[in-house]
Amino acid sequence: MSDAPAHSVAFVRKTEIPAKAPPVAETGVLKWIKENLFSGPFNTIMTILGLLVIYYLLSGLIPWIVNGTWEGADIRECREILQGSGGGCFAVISDRWPQLLFGFQYPDYLRWRPTLAFLLLFLAVPPALFVMFLPRWTLIATAIYPFVAYWLIWGGTILAPLMSAVALIGGYMVFKTVEKGGFVKGLAAGIVSAFLILWIGGFISTAGANVLALEPVESRAMGGFMLNMILGTVCVSLSIPLGILLALGRQSKLPIVKGFCVVFIEFIRGVPLITLLFVANVVLAYFLPPQANFDLIIRVIIMITMFSAAYIAEVIRGGLAALPKGQYEAADSLGLDYPQAMRLIILPQALKISIPGIVNVAVGLFKDTTLVSVISMFDLVGMIRGPILSSTDWVGVYWELWAAACILFFIVCYGISQYSQWLERQLRTDHR
Amino acid sequence: MAALDTNTGGDSSQMKVSDEVAITIKGMNKWYGQFHVLRDIDLTVQRGERIVICGPSGSGKSTLIRCINALEEHQEGSIVVDGVPLSSDLKNIDKIRSEVGMCFQHFNLFPHLTILENCTLAPIWVRKTPKKEAEETAMYFLEKVKIPDQANKYPGQLSGGQQQRVAIARSLCMRPRIMLFDEPTSALDPEMIKEVLDTMIQLAEEGMTMLCVTHEMGFARQVANRVIFMDAGQIVEQNEPESFFLNPQNERTKLFLSQILGH
């Protein structure tokens, strides 16, 4: 307003003010350092203190890593090699690496099978995670994977996982046919027929126990990081759909559905996971008929899944509540029925809002799988705490083992977190 | 209020109204808890008729048109839309909703879908139209509301006026026989009100049956066959626009008109 005369109220602009570039020299490394690290006496002191702390940490950590040894058959050999140089005794990791990964009971000549299953995971997961870039048919790999992985890890006849797949597909087809007469009716018919096929399939797979059979491995033999991965992937992928159903159920107008969901969520959230795991381990056996040989891993999967599903349901409920009522009304006014409105309009938006919360629960769940070590399952933490640290060979080698455990978990959790942030950017549709 | 000049647009008497009945409402009552929002509403809408509903806020005008496509439940009386009586049967309600288009004050576009997807979603899933055909229809209506070039953008990238026009196009893609407008211009800047009103006028000229809750009195004068004034949940006065504005009978109508036009 510099050309506005000071004495007059009336003003008419005759020329447009041209857009100018910002003042120069607002960029550059030195400029940044000066502004952000040494902008005043207080900040300068803080910067120097910060550097000191970093130096102190690194001066301990780097020699530990650099001077460490990866050779030696036990702790005594390790100490001889190190000669008090302050390095880490990483030999324990190279010595017990297979145990850290697979536990100590999984037959070593069969370890290629879980390894193969793990590698196949990289074929099976991308179609689900990158739906927008890969053709839809690749999802077949994701759908087949659980059955293949089960067959590889547990062994036995291929008929067992095959029958489960047939039961699922059959159940789905029945659901699709009956659904036209009502969603709930279809759901009930689908579930009943799936169990029926599963029951009949049980006889078939017992009869054909040698069809394409791999050497069976008991659930008790599962251990190490493999067990964490199995529990983590299975429970995350089961608890998200279950959480969605619980969240929708909690919003339902049907009092029984709503009541069931509320009680379920509130009860599960009000109980520590460890308690549920003890229930899975011991108490559940009292309620089941004695001949029902219910696999421990399945019991644990059910408990962890229910636990995280309750949390995910609440996260998604937050997402649902954040949607303006107008979205529901717009979907209704176009004539979409309830399942369509939920699937096409409400859930895509609610889930997008809920991504950070869901990932939070998923990462937490993955780390909580280590709690199975308290019910004497030998997962990564169970292996370190039990067989490895208590062996006379490696007694007292804490830092190296726990650091290895941290790194393994960190890689997976950081990966999940990065994926979720990428996904959020992908799904952003405003101001692009 | 952006009052439109009555002389410029099409004269409402040129647009024909058929004898066929589109909507019949008889003795309708609605309560929110103890609060009696709609009282003894009787209304018959002919096919091709354009009705503007106005009234002070809280008078039940939005609730009335939201009852017509069952976004709100009514407790007493009957509503028959296009020969289909409104009951609590979900199949019936979905049928009526797919025949009745609705535009909201806040547009309510689906922000996670592109403009084109917003327009094709309902035809594909409700009408089971093949995708290609649905897209052609969508482009036809987007052209009609003059924003075909925005088809692949997301709602968040459009101005309010553009969004409302997309919302109109989205409803039209279902080929509705009746359109409901719930204060379509109240959330818009004055500059954008005109572009939305122009679209609505165009729609009226093509003979669409329309019920509009609006305070755009210029629009009412130019387009409506009938103006309904509501207060306290009742229809207080209804008349042809000319007589309604020049010669209101009820005291409350007079007061309302003097407040809305008197500055």
Side-chain angles (χ1 to χ4, degrees), chain A residues 17-69:
Chain A
I17 301 174
K20 281 190 293 191
V24 261
E26 285 296 313
T27 47
V29 183
L30 280 177
K31 176 93 188 161
W32 184 87
I33 288 176
K34 188 169 186 303
E35 252 176 28
N36 291 291
L37 300 178
F38 301 103
S39 60
F42 179 71
N43 276 356
T44 309
I45 292 169
M46 291 307 281
T47 303
I48 291 168
L49 277 179
L51 288 174
L52 278 176
V53 169
I54 292 172
Y55 170 78
Y56 175 73
L57 286 176
L58 288 183
S59 64
L61 188 65
I62 290 177
W64 185 63
I65 294 171
V66 173
N67 297 335
T69 175

Side-chain angles (χ1 to χ4, degrees), chain A residues 100 379-390 398 401-402 405:
Chain A
L100 289 176
D379 75 313
L380 183 56
V381 167
M383 277 308 293
I384 294 174
R385 251 171 29 124
I388 299 182
L389 275 179
S390 58
Y398 293 104
L401 285 165
W402 294 122

Side-chain angles (χ1 to χ4, degrees), chain A residues 272-284 303 371 374-376:
Chain A
L273 179 56
I274 296 230
T275 320
L276 290 178
L277 289 178
F278 278 123
V279 169
N281 190 24
V282 209
V283 187
L284 218 56
M303 284 304 177
L371 288 177
V374 296
I375 54 166
S376 57

Side-chain angles (χ1 to χ4, degrees), chain A residues 115-401:
Chain A
T115 313
L116 180 63
F118 177 69
L119 292 176
L120 287 177
L121 191 65
F122 290 96
L123 281 182
V125 168
L129 295 190
F130 305 102
V131 189
M132 52 289 256
F133 296 124
L134 293 169
R136 284 189 81 87
W137 61 263
T138 53
L139 279 171
I140 294 171
T142 317
I144 294 174
Y145 180 77
F147 306 103
V148 175
Y150 174 83
W151 184 52
L152 281 173
I153 295 173
W154 272 269
T157 171
I158 199 170
L159 285 178
L162 203 63
M163 282 304 141
S164 323
V166 168
L168 268 182
I169 297 168
Y172 179 74
M173 276 162 52
V174 170
F175 163 70
K176 265 289 163 198
T177 349
V178 185
E179 191 205 4
K180 290 172 190 105
F183 184 79
V184 180
K185 235 190 273 173
L187 196 67
I191 291 173
V192 167
S193 46
F195 272 105
L196 207 63
I197 299 172
L198 206 59
W199 183 63
I200 298 166
F203 294 114
I204 297 176
S205 50
T206 327
N210 292 319
V211 182
L212 273 176
L214 295 172
E215 185 176 328
V217 180
E218 260 186 79
S219 284
R220 270 287 168 198
M222 307 292 155
F225 197 55
M226 174 179 78
L227 182 58
N228 297 112
M229 288 291 284
I230 293 173
L231 293 176
T233 39
V234 172
C235 295
V236 168
S237 35
L238 289 180
S239 61
I240 291 175
L242 187 60
I244 294 173
L245 289 182
L246 283 170
L248 291 180
R250 193 167 185 166
Q251 284 205 324
S252 170
K253 285 189 190 115
L254 309 170
I256 294 175
V257 175
K258 185 183 170 135
F260 173 79
C261 292
V262 170
V263 170
F264 181 90
I265 291 171
E266 295 301 337
F267 173 72
I268 297 281
R269 280 203 312 168
V271 176
L273 179 56
I274 296 230
T275 320
L276 290 178
L277 289 178
F278 278 123
V279 169
N281 190 24
V282 209
V283 187
L284 218 56
Y286 289 110
F287 294 104
L288 294 168
Q291 69 272 22
N293 185 17
F294 215 44
D295 196 285
L296 178 62
I297 289 195
I298 293 182
R299 281 182 277 169
V300 167
I301 284 176
I302 291 174
M303 284 304 177
I304 300 181
T305 302
M306 291 200 313
F307 188 77
S308 53
Y311 278 86
I312 288 178
E314 285 301 277
V315 169
I316 293 174
R317 189 165 71 97
L320 290 170
L323 281 194
K325 204 169 156 238
Q327 291 292 313
Y328 293 85
E329 290 177 350
D332 283 348
S333 76
L334 285 170
L336 296 170
D337 59 24
Y338 178 80
Q340 286 172 339
M342 287 300 135
R343 187 153 67 93
L344 300 167
I345 309 299
I346 305 303
L347 281 177
Q349 297 183 62
L351 290 178
K352 188 180 120 185
I353 301 172
S354 320
I355 287 174
I358 293 176
V359 169
N360 204 15
V361 175
V363 166
L365 176 157
F366 181 61
K367 290 182 298 180
D368 281 353
T369 58
T370 55
L371 288 177
V372 298
S373 63
V374 296
I375 54 166
S376 57
M377 288 174 90
F378 293 98
D379 75 313
L380 183 56
V381 167
M383 277 308 293
I384 294 174
R385 251 171 29 124
I388 299 182
L389 275 179
S390 58
S391 73
T392 46
D393 286 352
W394 298 110
V395 69
V397 192
Y398 293 104
W399 284 91
E400 293 78 357
L401 285 165

Side-chain angles (χ1 to χ4, degrees), chain B residues 1-186:
Chain B
M1 296 292 144
L4 291 174
D5 195 289
T6 27
N7 298 323
T8 53
D11 185 358
S12 56
S13 60
Q14 288 171 356
M15 305 174 207
K16 60 178 190 307
V17 173
S18 88
D19 307 332
E20 212 182 320
V21 174
I23 302 171
T24 322
I25 301 175
K26 272 208 193 95
M28 198 233 311
N29 278 287
K30 176 172 175 60
W31 290 263
Y32 284 130
Q34 290 298 307
F35 180 58
H36 200 172
V37 241
L38 291 176
R39 307 180 193 179
D40 289 330
I41 303 288
D42 287 297
L43 180 66
T44 308
V45 183
Q46 308 296 126
R47 183 159 306 292
E49 210 179 359
R50 296 162 303 280
I51 295 178
V52 163
I53 304 170
C54 58
S57 71
S59 59
K61 50 198 191 311
S62 283
T63 313
L64 170 60
I65 70 164
R66 288 159 60 87
C67 280
I68 293 173
N69 68 351
L71 284 182
E72 304 276 357
E73 258 180 302
H74 60 281
Q75 280 84 35
E76 250 181 49
S78 72
I79 302 178
V80 180
V81 181
D82 238 354
V84 184
L86 202 58
S87 60
S88 57
D89 181 8
L90 284 175
K91 288 257 146 57
N92 234 346
I93 290 179
D94 282 338
K95 172 146 179 33
I96 286 175
R97 282 172 176 166
S98 62
E99 304 293 335
V100 179
M102 174 133 188
C103 287
F104 299 88
Q105 180 177 3
H106 296 289
F107 334 132
N108 295 350
L109 293 178
F110 306 130
H112 63 302
L113 301 175
T114 63
I115 300 306
L116 189 62
E117 287 165 344
N118 261 283
C119 294
T120 56
L121 183 114
I124 288 175
W125 289 92
V126 179
R127 292 249 191 275
K128 314 288 180 205
T129 317
K131 188 169 178 226
K132 195 153 181 298
E133 197 185 317
E135 280 176 357
E136 279 163 14
T137 315
M139 285 314 291
Y140 170 77
F141 283 112
L142 284 176
E143 232 150 272
K144 209 159 184 184
V145 299
K146 302 190 181 68
I147 28 181
D149 43 330
Q150 315 278 11
N152 290 314
K153 288 193 182 169
Y154 286 93
Q157 296 164 298
L158 268 54
S159 73
Q162 288 174 323
Q163 289 194 42
Q164 192 59 290
R165 283 183 286 152
V166 171
I168 295 173
R170 176 175 73 177
S171 301
L172 292 179
C173 283
M174 287 295 280
R175 309 264 182 193
R177 309 187 67 185
I178 299 160
M179 284 288 289
L180 308 173
F181 293 87
D182 188 1
E183 307 207 27
T185 55
S186 312

